[in-house]
Amino acid sequence: MMGLMDEIDKTAQVIQQIRWPLRLTWAAMIWERGLGAFWPFLSLVALCYAVWVFAGAALLHPAIWIVLAGLFVTTLWRGVAAFQWPRRDAALARLDHSHPHRPISAYLDEISVGRGQIRTAALWQAHLARMQRDLAGLEAIKPAPHLARRDPYALRLIALTALAMALIFGDAAREVQPSQGSEIAVGPSWEAWVEPPRYTGLPTLYLQDLPHADASAIEVVTGTRLILRIYDSADAMEVTHSFGDQAGALADDLIISQSGDVAIGDAAWRFILTPDAPPSVTILGAPQLEAPDQTAIAYRAQDDFAILGGAASLSLDLEAVTRRYGLRVPPEPRDDLVFDLPMPFSGDRAAFSETLIEDLSKSVLANLPVTLTVTVEDDLGQTGRATLQVARLPSRRFFDPLAASLIEQRRDLLWSVENAPRVAQVLRAITYAPQTYLEDEATYLPLRSVIRRIEAAPAPLAREIRDELAEILWQVAVDLEEIDLDDALAALRQAQERLSEAMRRGASDEEIAQLMEDLQRAMDDYIRELAQSAEPSDTPTDSPDQGQEGMELSMNDLSQMMDQIQELMEQGRMAEAQAMLDALSQMLENMEVTQGQGQGSAGERAMEDLRDTLREQQGLADDSFRSFQDSFGQGEPSDQDGEQSLADRQEALRDSLREQAENLPGQGREEGQAARDRLDEAERAMRDAARALEEGDMAGALDRQADAMDALREGMDQLGRAFADEGGTPREDDAPQMGEAQQGGQQQGSARPLTDPLGRATGGEGAGVAGGPLSRQEAARRAEELLEELRRRSGETTRPDQERDYLRRLIEPY
């Protein structure tokens, strides 16, 4: 009897300790069982309530009442039959099973073996203490009705959504109107809205929510629409307005174009019209040259709400033109150059700044005085205008004397067809002694063709023919300007001549800075070529004789001279800057690079051999690609080296690389071994490319040739690191000490002005705009154009599948 009482007390103690988790778990069980049994009934109640709120009269039909009554009784009876009231033992068991140790049942257990043993009793007490701690950590179990299995069509969610809509948007106090009987007398009802123009972005206002005229006036903009809707007889309500000539009764929507009042019944509102101001625009300085052939026009626009669009136009400022040479004759009438202004893609258009960039190099207005007009427009059609007189429209400038002369003749031809005979005479003078100015037939023959077509055509020269000839002159001039840029010394001389010519004609600071950057880049390329082509010297670099005959010139010295030249130009001391530029040119052209004997010389020769192999592999890949195009009727026939096939050339190049790898210096170094590994990869790629060429798999051959070139470049990089660590080839981040600059002649005090083929000094009217090596922006733009062309070709379904697959592999990394 005492054991039973102890067990009851122990159970009561456990229940007292977990009373709140137990009660909440029991309530959760009641909730989930009730919801599981009565959810059809509750869903029916919610759905009927929603229908009553939105369409109460539809529930008054007797047939509907009968059906609903049957559904209510059925669902309620099934819910009562299915519901089972949970017992406390079930709640206690659920709470106990929520813990992995089952602390409730474990605590209520009694020891059955070793009851009288001290150690067993101590162990049992430790067990009870642990279960006591677990009891303190028990938490109530959340309800889980699992209605998704019982309601696969989610009818309960439909009813719940309808109930929520009724509670939010319905009228709970709706009175059901009787189907028969007298009508309820109500007064006339109306609604009105004030709707601003859409472009303003202002919200539509509900007139009933706005203060009456005796409180404050309502500000509206031009074009605001007043919308009125009367739902009962219009004769029962007086609606008037006083908007100028339109004053009187208001029977329809009204566009507010001036201030006035509106009265609807006993209420009245006053509207004050706020006019929409026209937009304004400002030209942010004169047009600038962004790239060799890109002209940038910056502007700022502003409006009350938003700028719809705009345009920039360029017209010839004839009064400011120096009328000489081909510009003496009256110009042909032509339309202004008009360009759409760029607009912001996103964001606010009420105030913004943008830059229009266009290629104006081929326009007859290039490098001539023009009038720039920028116009912007808002949604009402109002415009803002800004005008700027530009002394010279910046465009591409040609520094080669012959190219500049051809561009001038092209301009004269476009100026007026009356200049055609004169242009033909000048071109005859240029081509009279082709060995003087023209280096190859690619330049001479097009010019002779232009002469013949001008002289053979009836006067006046047709404009279509004139435009074709102008395009020929442009292409020849561009080819002359860009010729020999691959040669480092020619590029250096050209960069120096361009800078000198710009200094003489007083170019802008931006153009001077760009030309200085071009000169620095050309000088770096030239010094690099000198270092690569230098032969080992038999005389040590620290020989006293060399110290007497020359001087050591480092990159720091060259950088200091460049900084001094730029500083002199910024101070306006152009004569001194020109003299220092001439001295720098003389020193660079007379520079000789000498190196000590040892591992560095062998490393240089190995690097040069690998460069030659890389160039040959690149040329072979180009020939393979042209052959690949020829197989589909694309491009020009490929140029083969005699009767040797592409596969034989690839195999020969592979043998050469294997021999170079076997004799590679730099033994015993990690970088040297890494270089050999990369060259081995290149050799294997060449072997696979040769096999693919033999089998006619041109696409596969091109892929393997690309792998070979990548491995070659990585091997050369590793080899350069190995030589740098051993004191041989310098790293790129080191300042290379260049050899002796021998003073092999007298330095010129000033540069002789460049003259064109007619003996005139360049830099005058029609000389063109600065060109030269591509800037980073131009190089990026052309690279993007090339990538877009590859994408376009890869998407053409008329091309063979093999070619399209190859093009897709080319653009895949980008």
Side-chain angles (χ1 to χ4, degrees):
M1 186 67 178
M2 290 298 296
L4 178 61
M5 295 298 297
D6 292 341
E7 183 178 355
I8 294 175
D9 293 341
K10 196 174 183 180
T11 303
Q13 180 183 357
V14 171
I15 294 176
Q16 179 65 23
Q17 184 176 354
I18 61 171
R19 61 184 183 278
W20 283 112
L22 181 60
R23 292 173 182 176
L24 293 177
T25 301
W26 181 66
M29 294 179 66
I30 296 175
W31 169 259
E32 69 181 35
R33 292 187 182 186
L35 194 61
F38 292 101
W39 73 265
F41 176 76
L42 297 176
S43 299
L44 183 61
V45 171
L47 189 60
C48 290
Y49 176 79
V51 174
W52 176 75
V53 168
F54 290 110
L59 298 177
L60 298 178
H61 196 279
I64 296 179
W65 277 111
I66 294 174
V67 174
L68 290 178
L71 291 175
F72 276 123
V73 172
T74 302
T75 55
L76 181 60
W77 176 80
R78 293 186 62 181
V80 172
F83 179 75
Q84 294 182 358
W85 191 265
R87 299 176 57 186
R88 189 185 66 175
D89 294 343
L92 195 64
R94 173 178 287 194
L95 190 61
D96 188 26
H97 282 75
S98 66
H99 196 282
H101 297 158
R102 307 290 191 269
I104 298 176
S105 57
Y107 189 80
L108 296 177
D109 287 341
E110 292 292 339
I111 186 171
S112 59
V113 179
R115 183 186 298 268
Q117 297 178 7
I118 298 177
R119 292 183 180 181
T120 302
L123 181 61
W124 182 251
Q125 291 300 324
H127 167 69
L128 292 179
R130 181 180 180 184
M131 293 300 102
Q132 185 75 17
R133 291 194 298 271
D134 290 344
L135 287 174
L138 288 178
E139 296 180 356
I141 309 302
K142 298 179 181 179
H146 302 294
L147 295 181
R149 294 179 298 178
R150 305 178 185 182
D151 182 19
Y153 299 104
L155 299 178
R156 70 194 187 284
L157 299 181
I158 297 176
L160 186 62
T161 303
L163 177 63
M165 298 292 291
L167 294 176
I168 296 175
F169 302 104
D171 184 5
R174 175 188 298 273
E175 295 182 1
V176 180
Q177 299 180 355
S179 58
Q180 298 178 355
S182 59
E183 296 183 356
I184 299 177
V186 294
S189 61
W190 61 274
E191 287 183 299
W193 297 269
V194 179
E195 185 181 73
R198 184 172 300 177
Y199 71 86
T200 63
L202 299 176
T204 298
L205 304 177
Y206 193 58
L207 190 59
Q208 283 90 328
D209 295 338
L210 301 180
H212 292 185
D214 55 354
S216 61
I218 303 171
E219 293 186 358
V220 295
V221 298
T222 303
T224 298
R225 180 185 297 272
L226 178 61
I227 303 173
L228 176 64
R229 295 292 181 266
I230 300 177
Y231 301 113
D232 293 299
S233 175
D235 298 336
M237 180 177 296
E238 183 179 4
V239 181
T240 60
H241 69 94
S242 60
F243 290 106
D245 298 337
Q246 305 178 24
L250 179 61
D252 202 353
D253 297 350
L254 177 67
I255 302 298
I256 300 177
S257 58
Q258 61 186 69
S259 301
D261 299 328
V262 172
I264 303 177
D266 297 334
W269 291 267
R270 172 164 296 174
F271 295 91
I272 302 298
L273 186 68
T274 301
D276 186 350
S280 61
V281 62
T282 304
I283 302 176
L284 303 179
Q288 300 294 326
L289 194 65
E290 283 290 317
D293 53 2
Q294 298 291 322
T295 302
I297 301 174
Y299 73 96
R300 180 185 297 113
Q302 188 172 359
D303 186 56
D304 295 354
F305 299 102
I307 300 294
L308 179 62
S313 63
L314 294 168
S315 59
L316 179 66
D317 187 3
L318 190 58
E319 296 181 356
V321 176
T322 303
R323 306 295 292 275
R324 60 177 181 175
Y325 306 131
L327 304 181
R328 291 175 180 172
V329 301
E332 294 180 3
R334 55 175 46 86
D335 297 333
D336 297 343
L337 295 179
V338 180
F339 307 98
D340 292 334
L341 292 178
M343 294 286 121
F345 289 107
S346 61
D348 188 15
R349 286 196 177 187
F352 60 90
S353 298
E354 283 287 345
T355 301
L356 171 67
I357 299 179
E358 291 290 339
D359 184 358
L360 304 176
S361 300
K362 294 185 178 182
S363 172
V364 69
L365 301 181
N367 303 301
L368 291 178
V370 296
T371 300
L372 170 62
T373 303
V374 177
T375 306
V376 294
E377 181 181 2
D378 63 7
D379 286 81
L380 283 184
Q382 303 177 112
T383 59
R385 187 185 307 272
T387 303
L388 178 67
Q389 301 294 329
V390 182
R392 183 184 68 84
L393 179 63
S395 183
R396 176 166 184 165
R397 195 169 185 84
F398 290 82
F399 293 91
D400 183 85
L402 178 55
S405 300
L406 296 180
I407 290 299
E408 180 179 346
Q409 300 312 306
R410 175 184 178 274
R411 180 208 61 191
D412 295 346
L413 190 61
L414 293 174
W415 180 270
S416 175
V417 292
E418 296 182 17
N419 285 326
R422 178 182 178 278
V423 170
Q425 292 177 354
V426 174
L427 293 180
R428 279 192 173 277
I430 292 175
T431 58
Y432 174 73
Q435 67 276 8
T436 304
Y437 293 102
L438 307 178
E439 298 182 356
D440 53 28
E441 294 182 354
T443 304
Y444 175 76
L445 294 180
L447 297 182
R448 298 299 299 180
S449 174
V450 171
I451 296 172
R452 288 194 298 271
R453 294 185 64 179
I454 292 178
E455 295 177 345
L461 186 65
R463 287 180 172 81
E464 294 78 7
I465 299 178
R466 185 267 308 276
D467 294 340
E468 294 179 9
L469 301 181
E471 182 63 24
I472 294 175
L473 292 176
W474 173 267
Q475 292 298 334
V476 173
V478 170
D479 292 342
L480 287 171
E481 183 72 9
E482 297 179 351
I483 199 170
D484 291 338
L485 288 184
D486 292 336
D487 181 74
L489 181 57
L492 177 62
R493 291 172 177 170
Q494 187 179 55
Q496 293 169 345
E497 292 172 357
R498 289 177 175 177
L499 181 58
S500 299
E501 198 277 335
M503 292 165 58
R504 285 193 295 272
R505 62 178 173 82
S508 63
D509 294 340
E510 293 79 6
E511 187 173 351
I512 290 292
Q514 179 64 40
L515 293 175
M516 284 290 293
E517 182 179 346
D518 295 342
L519 178 59
Q520 181 68 55
R521 185 164 50 250
M523 184 173 64
D524 294 342
D525 294 340
Y526 176 62
I527 293 175
R528 189 180 302 110
E529 289 295 330
L530 281 177
Q532 294 174 358
S533 60
E535 294 295 336
S537 175
D538 295 334
T539 306
T541 56
D542 56 353
S543 172
D545 296 337
Q546 288 189 358
Q548 296 173 0
E549 295 178 1
M551 63 177 180
E552 294 291 337
L553 189 63
S554 68
M555 287 298 297
N556 291 333
D557 299 329
L558 296 176
S559 299
Q560 291 178 4
M561 293 187 69
M562 293 287 292
D563 294 340
Q564 292 176 5
I565 292 173
Q566 187 168 2
E567 183 178 357
L568 290 173
M569 288 190 294
E570 292 174 354
Q571 295 175 0
R573 300 158 63 182
M574 292 301 176
E576 299 178 37
Q578 181 63 59
M580 183 168 288
L581 181 62
D582 294 337
L584 176 62
S585 175
Q586 188 69 27
M587 294 169 64
L588 289 173
E589 292 190 11
N590 293 333
M591 183 180 294
E592 296 179 0
V593 179
T594 59
Q595 298 179 349
Q597 297 177 344
Q599 183 63 35
S601 300
E604 286 292 343
R605 287 193 294 271
M607 291 291 289
E608 185 62 30
D609 292 340
L610 290 177
R611 291 190 190 97
D612 293 340
T613 302
L614 180 59
R615 282 192 291 267
E616 293 178 12
Q617 181 62 67
Q618 180 65 61
L620 180 57
D622 294 340
D623 292 342
S624 300
F625 182 70
R626 282 192 290 270
S627 178
F628 178 58
Q629 286 185 316
D630 292 341
S631 62
F632 300 107
Q634 303 285 343
E636 298 294 333
S638 61
D639 182 15
Q640 304 292 341
D641 295 337
E643 298 181 354
Q644 188 180 23
S645 66
L646 294 174
D648 294 337
R649 291 171 56 191
Q650 184 67 78
E651 190 64 33
L653 193 59
R654 175 198 170 196
D655 295 337
S656 176
L657 178 61
R658 185 190 305 113
E659 182 179 354
Q660 295 174 30
E662 292 174 354
N663 300 323
L664 199 67
Q667 299 284 347
R669 299 194 61 87
E670 181 179 354
E671 291 83 356
Q673 184 59 42
R676 287 177 174 79
D677 294 341
R678 299 291 83 76
L679 295 183
D680 290 342
E681 292 180 8
E683 189 268 333
R684 288 192 295 270
M686 291 181 179
R687 179 195 59 197
D688 296 340
R691 184 180 298 113
L693 289 172
E694 291 176 354
E695 297 173 355
D697 182 11
M698 300 303 296
L702 289 171
D703 289 339
R704 301 306 297 154
Q705 287 173 342
D707 295 340
M709 288 185 287
D710 290 341
L712 267 174
R713 294 189 184 96
E714 294 176 3
M716 294 170 62
D717 181 67
Q718 294 290 346
L719 187 61
R721 294 177 183 274
F723 294 157
D725 293 340
E726 294 179 2
T729 306
R731 294 183 184 269
E732 293 181 359
D733 55 354
D734 294 336
Q737 298 293 328
M738 309 313 297
E740 297 179 322
Q742 304 294 338
Q743 308 300 316
Q746 297 179 354
Q747 298 179 354
Q748 298 177 356
S750 60
R752 182 176 58 87
L754 298 175
T755 58
D756 62 13
L758 301 181
R760 299 177 301 187
T762 60
E765 193 77 32
V769 176
L774 295 178
S775 65
R776 293 184 179 91
Q777 297 88 344
E778 178 65 8
R781 183 182 66 82
R782 295 194 179 183
E784 183 64 26
E785 291 177 354
L786 177 59
L787 192 58
E788 288 298 327
E789 177 65 17
L790 290 176
R791 291 194 182 104
R792 183 188 65 80
R793 293 191 180 188
S794 65
E796 293 180 351
T797 57
T798 57
R799 294 181 179 271
D801 293 339
Q802 191 176 11
E803 180 183 3
R804 293 174 62 195
D805 291 341
Y806 175 69
L807 293 174
R808 281 193 288 267
R809 287 197 296 271
L810 286 179
I811 63 178
E812 183 177 357
Y814 305 98

